[in-house]
Amino acid sequence: MDTPMLATAGEASSGAEAAREALVERLFEAALGTFDLAALHVGERLGLYAALADGPHTAPELAKATGTAPRYAREWLEQQSVTGILAVDDPAAGEDERRYSLPDAHREVLLHPESLSFMAPVARAMMGIAAQTPRLLEAFRTGAGVSWEAYGADVREAQASMNRPMFTNLLGPEWLASIPEVHERLRSDPPARVADIAVGGGWSAIAMARAYPKIRVDGLDLDPSSIELAQANLATTEVGDRVTFAVRDAADPGLAGRYDLATIFEAVHDFSQPVAVLGAVRNLLAPGASLLVADERVAERFTAPGDPVERFMYGWSFLLCLPNALADDPSAGTGTVMRPDVLRRYATEAGFSRVDVLPIEADFWRFYRLLP
């Protein structure tokens, strides 16, 4: 018979073994997910999914349609069918005779850029960040940063593409419409002017102009490549006469007092000097105007372990947002996990008299209205 002490030791050993095995399984599943993201990135960048949207293809047919090498096309098709993203009509057929297809249920996730289910940009972002691993390791050693420009086109384009569905589907009809004073001003005369700060790829400014046909929106960003991307996106729309994009600092005195609304979407945590930026944006506002900030819906305080959203945000933080912020000196070093009390402190130091957390339901974002 086991003594109580031996039983306790045995239970502890069993518990440790179970925890070890659980971590092994978790990391193995993470490796599978990483391979899926890498393959998704290849398929999106090379147009493989787009070609399959036209109908089933064999490997040689897909290679010809996309200008890729047949052997690589076959390996990708086999991986995608084994992992369950593509379907194959007859697995027993010859390797160049098998026909692969994109299931209807997967098309929105992989190919529809304005769908709230669109996930292809996540893979592009992950691969773009992974490409900067040598720089990130050096940043960890030295305490320096990795600039937004250094992350390159994959990350820049992915961020814009990830946010585009939310802006397109929710920004005007749900989010802005739920703020009565803002909604009414954007609908009324004289036509309101909106400053969209750190505009990135421009989809937020475009969405606001579409939702409110009277307004004019000026999208400002200090990154020339982002403004170039925003202008290219604007050229595909019908609101080019009411939206402008420019490489311009919000602190430009020529903009003071000009705007009836300012917006900052998912960017305050990226600023190296958030108080200075918020103070500059405060000076842009006309009497009665306010600043709308959307940032990450992280927990009110640190807890561990965290929920999936918290885990997701910390991943972005240590790989992208914190290194980006630390690329400038001095830097607040905020990181993606900017809790509400931190935003309130920044706003107060910037001269805002009031910060309201708005009752807007969103899976990943929390909305604040800042009043001068």
Side-chain angles (χ1 to χ4, degrees), residues 5-311:
M5 182 176 294
L6 290 175
T8 301
E11 290 170 1
S13 176
S14 176
E17 182 177 351
R20 181 174 62 250
E21 291 303 316
L23 181 57
V24 169
E25 181 177 352
R26 170 180 169 176
L27 296 179
F28 179 73
E29 290 295 327
L32 295 178
T34 301
F35 288 138
D36 280 345
L37 289 176
L40 197 164
H41 180 60
V42 170
E44 190 238 358
R45 274 305 206 193
L46 297 179
L48 306 180
Y49 294 119
L52 288 166
D54 294 333
H57 284 64
T58 64
E61 289 169 348
L62 183 65
K64 182 177 180 180
T66 58
T68 53
R71 183 63 186 89
Y72 279 105
R74 172 159 65 86
E75 198 75 5
W76 182 84
L77 286 166
E78 290 179 359
Q79 186 275 342
Q80 289 285 277
S81 60
V82 168
T83 203
I85 292 176
L86 297 182
V88 57
D89 61 353
D90 182 7
E95 58 192 21
D96 285 337
E97 281 72 51
R98 300 185 200 116
R99 302 190 69 78
Y100 299 85
S101 59
L102 180 62
D104 289 343
H106 294 180
R107 293 179 181 231
E108 236 179 275
V109 178
L110 301 173
L111 289 170
H112 293 192
E114 294 192 343
S115 168
L116 291 169
S117 299
F118 189 49
M119 289 293 290
V122 175
R124 190 186 298 192
M126 294 298 105
M127 295 303 103
I129 291 172
Q132 301 307 316
T133 298
R135 283 191 168 116
L136 287 165
L137 294 176
E138 184 63 17
F140 266 70
R141 293 187 182 103
T142 65
V146 181
S147 71
W148 180 248
E149 294 84 356
Y151 282 94
D154 275 341
V155 173
R156 181 171 57 251
E157 294 170 9
Q159 186 195 43
S161 295
M162 283 189 290
N163 289 340
R164 178 182 177 182
M166 294 189 295
F167 292 141
T168 300
N169 294 286
L170 304 175
L171 178 52
E174 292 193 19
W175 296 343
L176 291 174
S178 72
I179 313 170
E181 301 91 337
V182 171
H183 179 61
E184 286 306 314
R185 180 64 191 94
L186 297 180
R187 295 172 60 196
S188 65
D189 290 312
R193 295 199 65 167
V194 178
D196 195 2
I197 309 302
V199 72
W203 293 115
S204 50
I206 291 166
M208 287 188 283
R210 283 173 164 167
Y212 296 95
K214 292 183 178 182
I215 69 171
R216 298 188 63 86
V217 187
D218 294 334
L220 311 180
D221 204 298
L222 294 179
D223 177 44
S225 296
S226 292
I227 290 299
E228 184 178 341
L229 175 61
Q231 290 169 338
N233 291 334
L234 180 63
T236 68
T237 75
E238 73 291 353
V239 295
D241 59 330
R242 294 186 294 114
V243 177
T244 64
F245 295 119
V247 179
R248 195 168 185 182
D249 195 325
D252 185 334
L255 301 176
R258 182 179 295 188
Y259 295 99
D260 303 287
L261 174 70
T263 58
I264 305 176
F265 295 109
E266 203 181 28
V268 171
H269 69 259
D270 289 313
F271 297 148
S272 59
Q273 299 183 52
V275 173
V277 175
L278 291 174
V281 176
R282 180 178 175 274
N283 290 332
L284 299 179
L285 301 177
S290 60
L291 166 61
L292 176 65
V293 171
D295 221 286
E296 314 302 354
R297 186 179 284 276
V298 296
E300 296 276 346
R301 61 189 59 84
F302 176 80
T303 58
D307 63 22
V309 172
E310 199 86 345
R311 290 171 56 195

